[in-house]
Amino acid sequence: SPMTHTLVASATREHIIGFDRPFTIIGERINPTGRKKLAAEMVAGNFDGVIRDALAQVEAGAHILDVNAGVTAVNPNESEPPLMRQTLEIVQSICDVPLCIDSSIIEALEAGLAVYQGRALVNSTTAEDEVMERVLPLVKKYDAAVVAISNDDTGISEDPDVRFAVAK
């Protein structure tokens, strides 16, 4: 049977993920969660740390950069979408690797997908009905690839057969 390949792309560069392809390195540093200084900078509109982290990760060999703009637990539905959009625009302007749009806030995913140039990777969906109903239409609308976590409403099973069934 043919190997499954997943294409992600920036405006100018493609990257293929697959079992028969070299290991894909995704840089995860652009994430203010647990990084108070970065979160404070981003809230203040200072993207120096984001830019530094983006360039350093590409230099270190990252094929894809994960972008997360979850700066606050207070009203993330309001704060996160515009910040996600701004962060993605800045990262796209300074490097050419494909990007992974990382949020549990659906409005932030949509804001990011709307400004993304290329074929994004969305991080992530689960098999929980409510999450699939909201994320998968966006994935389809913007022709994105998606990271799927094989848990449903009961959580992540220890049984690999159950995980496989959930993934399917």
Side-chain angles (χ1 to χ4, degrees), residues 82-147:
L83 198 55
M84 175 65 86
R85 185 165 49 243
Q86 199 176 3
T87 306
L88 279 166
E89 285 175 333
I90 287 164
V91 174
Q92 286 182 107
S93 75
I94 59 158
C95 65
D96 70 346
V97 298
L99 302 180
C100 177
I101 303 173
D102 180 2
S103 182
S104 56
I105 306 297
I106 307 296
E107 294 80 6
L109 289 178
E110 180 145 38
L113 285 163
V115 298
Y116 187 70
Q117 297 163 17
R119 185 166 201 251
L121 180 59
V122 169
N123 189 11
S124 58
T125 190
T126 65
E128 295 161 287
D129 290 336
E130 188 190 345
V131 180
M132 284 199 300
E133 279 167 21
R134 298 190 67 198
V135 175
L136 295 183
L138 286 179
V139 166
K140 183 172 194 243
K141 178 179 177 182
Y142 291 98
D143 184 35
V146 62
V147 175

Side-chain angles (χ1 to χ4, degrees), residues 36-117:
K36 285 192 172 73
K37 183 171 182 270
L38 183 64
E41 285 177 3
M42 290 172 74
V43 168
N46 172 358
F47 292 89
D48 292 352
V50 168
I51 291 166
R52 206 166 39 246
D53 282 346
L55 296 174
Q57 290 179 108
V58 172
E59 197 175 322
H63 302 112
I64 298 169
L65 296 183
D66 185 271
V67 176
N68 182 305
V71 289
T72 173
V74 185
N75 292 337
N77 290 13
E78 288 170 31
S79 63
E80 210 175 305
L83 198 55
M84 175 65 86
R85 185 165 49 243
Q86 199 176 3
T87 306
L88 279 166
E89 285 175 333
I90 287 164
V91 174
Q92 286 182 107
S93 75
I94 59 158
C95 65
D96 70 346
V97 298
L99 302 180
C100 177
I101 303 173
D102 180 2
S103 182
S104 56
I105 306 297
I106 307 296
E107 294 80 6
L109 289 178
E110 180 145 38
L113 285 163
V115 298
Y116 187 70
Q117 297 163 17

